[in-house]
Amino acid sequence: MKKMKIAGIMRAGAYSPNHIGNDAAIFRLTMENLEKEGYGITFYSEDQFLQGEVSEDVIVNMCREQASIKLLQQKETEGALVVNSGFGIENCTREKMTRILIDNRVPYPESLIVSTEENVTGQLEAHNFTNCWIKRGDFHAMHKEDVSYVRHEQEAQDVLSEYALRGIKRAVINKHLVGDLVKFYGVKDSPFFYWFYPFDMNHSKFGLEAINGKATGIPFEVAAMREICEVAADVLKVHVYGGDCVISPEGVIRIIDFNDWPSFAPCRSEAAPHIASCIKKLIEKI
């Protein structure tokens, strides 16, 4: 039986802050593994995808452009297999992710979802949000300023006002969690799961790992972390994922960020065959 052709859509550089090379590397390595399985791969840019150049029924992508996501959703509705799903990619934008994880009781920081034009100092005081994180709610983080750590209510209000001036209408405010920061990568329904302390490995997009600082090695159950991440991947509808957790001094695990198809930079050679195998299994179900 002739293997299906796959469209591989690369992530636009603007959506790979400080990780353009890493994002491209994991994507190409995954495609190489699919080629070894006999699949024909044609690579496209997001611009080519938006210009209508993609006709394949299987689309493997790292898209982040909002118009690309809408087109992926359209293709999926029309019957194409899309990995990661366009609906899943949209679910990983901050406000949607926060609502979905909280609604599904996935361990997550106490959070407020607000308009950037409202006065939130009263809400922050009422919820005892002194140290907290302000994150743009409408999209993925593209710039360092899209995720801001603040130490008091007025600083939070100032950041929200700056967001409003930038045209960002919604924001998520996460209560700061004290503990060890852990980064993870996974492939849904596969044996692959990888974690590490990003501060200790100087792994960073914007340098914000310094807020939690060097990990102290708080004991935690990796199996429990993996289970939490698999539930998150399921409810967010993504197969290839990564993100960050904080382990509290008591060993409680909470997800603070969850991303569709990250760079897998420290483990790409180990991860790529599992990502390819996951895609192969999804194709075989068509």
Side-chain angles (χ1 to χ4, degrees), residues 6 8-10 20-39 41 43 60 62 187 192 240 261-280:
I6 298 175
I9 306 176
M10 307 285 286
I20 293 174
N22 287 330
D23 284 351
I26 182 59
F27 194 71
R28 289 194 176 277
L29 196 54
T30 299
M31 295 296 113
E32 287 174 9
N33 277 270
L34 286 168
E35 284 182 321
K36 291 176 184 176
E37 294 289 336
Y39 294 100
I41 311 293
F43 288 96
V60 179
M62 293 186 78
V187 181
F192 182 82
V240 187
W261 206 322
S263 69
F264 289 83
C267 56
R268 73 170 70 98
S269 60
E270 299 92 341
H274 290 283
I275 300 171
S277 178
C278 172
I279 294 166
K280 181 173 179 282

Side-chain angles (χ1 to χ4, degrees), residues 10-247:
M10 307 285 286
R11 180 171 293 160
Y15 299 94
S16 294
N18 300 328
H19 278 291
I20 293 174
N22 287 330
D23 284 351
I26 182 59
F27 194 71
R28 289 194 176 277
L29 196 54
T30 299
M31 295 296 113
E32 287 174 9
N33 277 270
L34 286 168
E35 284 182 321
K36 291 176 184 176
E37 294 289 336
Y39 294 100
I41 311 293
T42 302
F43 288 96
Y44 299 91
S45 67
E46 286 198 52
D47 284 343
Q48 289 173 313
F49 178 49
L50 290 170
Q51 290 164 10
E53 296 185 25
V54 173
S55 59
E56 290 86 346
D57 292 327
V58 178
I59 300 172
V60 179
N61 78 95
M62 293 186 78
C63 292
R64 286 280 175 83
E65 170 64 49
Q66 289 177 318
S68 300
I69 294 169
K70 294 302 179 187
L71 185 53
L72 289 172
Q73 293 172 347
Q74 178 185 325
K75 293 279 190 181
E76 198 168 347
T77 301
E78 292 170 352
L81 172 64
V82 179
V83 186
N84 278 315
S85 162
F87 297 99
I89 298 169
E90 185 176 55
N91 285 343
C92 290
T93 56
R94 193 78 59 178
E95 180 173 349
K96 287 198 171 189
M97 178 189 72
T98 298
R99 293 188 186 278
I100 291 169
L101 295 184
I102 290 175
D103 287 349
N104 286 276
R105 301 184 183 279
V106 176
Y108 190 75
E110 187 178 351
S111 302
L112 299 172
I113 297 172
V114 301
S115 163
T116 58
E117 295 183 350
E118 66 181 287
N119 189 315
V120 300
T121 53
Q123 291 186 65
L124 295 175
E125 187 175 353
H127 288 83
N128 194 29
F129 275 39
T130 304
N131 295 52
C132 56
W133 295 85
I134 314 292
K135 304 174 181 180
R136 69 179 298 167
D138 59 337
F139 205 52
H140 303 84
M142 294 174 60
H143 307 286
K144 182 176 181 180
E145 293 77 13
D146 291 345
V147 178
S148 301
Y149 177 68
V150 299
R151 296 164 180 80
H152 53 78
E153 292 88 348
Q154 189 55 54
E155 188 178 6
Q157 190 65 58
D158 292 342
V159 168
L160 285 176
S161 298
E162 291 174 5
Y163 279 19
L165 289 172
R166 291 174 57 205
I168 299 170
K169 298 183 181 300
R170 307 279 292 173
V172 173
I173 306 177
N174 296 144
K175 194 169 188 176
H176 176 64
L177 301 179
V178 174
D180 285 351
L181 180 65
V182 173
K183 184 167 283 293
F184 59 83
Y185 298 105
V187 181
K188 187 174 178 292
D189 299 328
S190 86
F192 182 82
F193 188 78
Y194 182 94
W195 69 272
F196 66 102
Y197 297 119
F199 182 88
D200 297 2
M201 292 179 62
N202 294 315
H203 180 94
S204 179
K205 275 187 181 179
F206 304 124
L208 297 172
E209 290 78 8
I211 302 299
N212 281 79
K214 183 176 177 60
T216 61
I218 299 167
F220 70 95
E221 294 184 10
V222 175
M225 176 183 288
R226 181 177 180 179
E227 183 177 354
I228 290 169
C229 293
E230 284 287 295
V231 171
D234 186 53
V235 298
L236 292 169
K237 304 187 186 306
V238 294
H239 283 83
V240 187
Y241 66 83
D244 301 270
C245 288
V246 170
I247 315 299

Side-chain angles (χ1 to χ4, degrees), residues 245-260:
C245 288
V246 170
I247 315 299
S248 77
E250 297 76 30
V252 176
I253 304 167
R254 292 186 182 88
I255 289 176
I256 61 168
D257 195 15
F258 203 91
N259 302 306
D260 57 282

